[in-house]
């Protein structure tokens, strides 16, 4: 994997431009290779009222309980996100370059403050 994926400063700059909502939960970003091998680094984003916090956590096949949404992407998709921003997510999902995993129910996402963000990205799944 390209080391720029682990550069929190680059992610911080992109997220500061894009903005993510203040939330009581994290959005995790993981490379496909790390996801498949069940070990590596998990990049986490969390919006607060003051700023977006970006950090790295160890990944051993399980993510922190505060991760509400996991974005698993290949290297090209990660580079696209860094360069072009969050608007790329729906296109990357359609192309199979990024897989979103909702780790919380829609009600939990709502309570955490991420439901509108998920919907804005076109990642809402129909309720049955």
């Amino acid at each position: 994997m390209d080391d720029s994926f682990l550069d929190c400063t680059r992610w911080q700059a992109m997220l500061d431009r894009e903005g993510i909502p203040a939330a009581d939960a994290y959005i995790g970003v993981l490379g496909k290779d790390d996801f498949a091998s069940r070990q590596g680094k998990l990049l986490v984003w969390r919006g607060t009222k003051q700023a977006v916090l970006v950090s790295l956590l160890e990944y051993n096949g399980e993510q922190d309980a505060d991760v509400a949404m996991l974005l698993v992407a290949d290297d090209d998709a990660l580079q696209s996100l860094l360069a072009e921003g969050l608007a790329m997510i729906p296109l990357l999902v359609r192309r199979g370059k990024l897989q979103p995993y909702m780790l919380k129910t829609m009600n939990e996402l709502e309570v955490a403050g991420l439901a509108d963000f998920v919907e804005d990205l076109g990642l809402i799944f129909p309720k049955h």
Side-chain angles (χ1 to χ4, degrees):
M1 174 173 294
D2 184 340
D3 284 345
S4 64
F5 167 68
L6 302 176
D7 184 350
C8 290
T9 306
R10 288 186 67 202
W11 287 102
Q12 185 74 56
M14 184 275 288
L15 291 168
D16 286 346
R17 278 191 322 268
E18 296 282 318
I20 62 172
D24 293 328
Y26 296 107
I27 298 167
V29 181
L30 191 61
K32 281 186 177 182
D33 293 340
D34 289 354
F35 183 72
S37 68
R38 302 181 61 81
Q39 64 182 10
K41 297 285 186 185
L42 174 67
L43 183 79
V44 292
W45 310 336
R46 182 172 183 195
T48 70
K49 287 185 171 48
Q50 295 78 28
V52 177
L53 305 176
V54 178
S55 59
L56 288 172
L57 301 175
E58 290 297 320
Y59 178 74
N60 62 0
E62 307 238 348
Q63 57 282 333
D64 187 281
D66 287 334
V67 176
M69 180 177 160
L70 185 63
L71 303 175
V72 177
D74 66 21
D75 288 351
D76 291 341
L78 294 171
Q79 292 306 319
S80 291
L81 282 175
L82 277 168
E84 300 178 49
L86 300 175
M88 291 297 297
I89 289 177
L91 178 63
L92 294 169
V93 169
R94 283 192 302 276
R95 289 182 177 168
K97 309 283 274 161
L98 184 146
Q99 286 78 44
Y101 295 92
M102 302 305 163
L103 305 176
K104 306 283 185 194
T105 66
M106 288 308 295
N107 288 340
E108 290 170 318
L109 289 172
E110 184 81 38
V111 169
L114 288 174
D116 289 341
F117 176 74
V118 171
E119 186 175 318
D120 289 346
L121 295 176
L123 300 177
I124 287 295
F125 301 96
K127 294 181 182 180
H128 297 286

